[in-house]
Amino acid sequence: MALGGPFDVVASVCLLSQLLEAVKLALGETHSHYLPLVQAVRGRHLRQAVQLCRPGGRLVIVTDFVSSDTCRELATVAEAQLPALAEQLVLAQNFFTGLNPFLLRQLFASDPWLAPRVAQPQLSKPWRWHFPTRVYAVCALTATRR
């Protein structure tokens, strides 16, 4: 089914984490094809978002990248300290596989297919998303379609 487009704004709102969670549930994190499949799904999702956006349009990729399951501090850390905590978590590799927000920004700037098609990739400050039994750190990657 064709999605139409191109669109002025293309937003992926926590969809990438759901796609990657499906890969994890299907294969398991120890499967030899797990990481390559995560990278392939992530790459295809980012490329499709770019393809759906008209030149001059805006791309918004919102992703939840870590939860209070592995970082209880997310629920209590002061708002002003959240960016520093997020950076520490990423440095400690405490994030959902395939969703390192700094790597996502880097992909928009350096990937041979993405980089020529997007400009000004920027990463927002993280914020908290309270979901019934968890707290997530979330951020948005934005860019302009060339």
Side-chain angles (χ1 to χ4, degrees):
M1 178 171 112
L3 294 176
F7 300 101
D8 293 337
V9 177
V10 174
S12 170
V13 183
C14 295
L15 178 57
L16 184 55
S17 60
Q18 298 305 300
L19 294 171
L20 298 184
E21 179 69 9
V23 172
K24 179 176 145 183
L25 291 173
L27 290 182
E29 294 176 283
T30 60
H31 193 283
S32 62
H33 295 298
Y34 174 65
L35 189 54
L37 188 54
V38 162
Q39 293 167 334
V41 169
R42 178 184 63 203
R44 179 64 189 120
H45 184 70
L46 297 177
R47 285 189 304 274
Q48 185 167 28
V50 171
Q51 288 171 328
L52 288 170
C53 192
R54 71 162 178 78
R58 294 293 291 164
L59 294 154
V60 181
I61 309 294
V62 177
T63 186
D64 46 337
F65 61 95
V66 65
S67 82
S68 56
D69 284 354
T70 61
C71 180
R72 292 188 185 267
E73 291 175 77
L74 279 176
T76 59
V77 68
E79 193 71 28
Q81 298 304 313
L82 191 56
L85 177 61
E87 191 170 331
Q88 290 172 2
L89 292 170
V90 169
L91 288 173
Q93 297 187 8
N94 183 355
F95 54 87
F96 301 135
T97 301
L99 295 175
N100 173 343
F102 301 105
L103 177 61
L104 292 175
R105 181 184 60 202
Q106 175 71 23
L107 286 172
F108 266 32
S110 65
D111 178 87
W113 192 92
L114 295 169
R117 291 169 173 84
V118 298
Q120 304 166 331
Q122 296 182 18
L123 198 56
S124 73
K125 288 182 182 179
W127 68 89
R128 280 184 276 242
W129 174 36
H130 295 269
F131 199 66
T133 60
R134 293 184 183 105
V135 177
Y136 292 89
V138 181
C139 64
L141 173 64
T142 60
T144 302
R145 173 69 157 95
R146 293 183 202 237

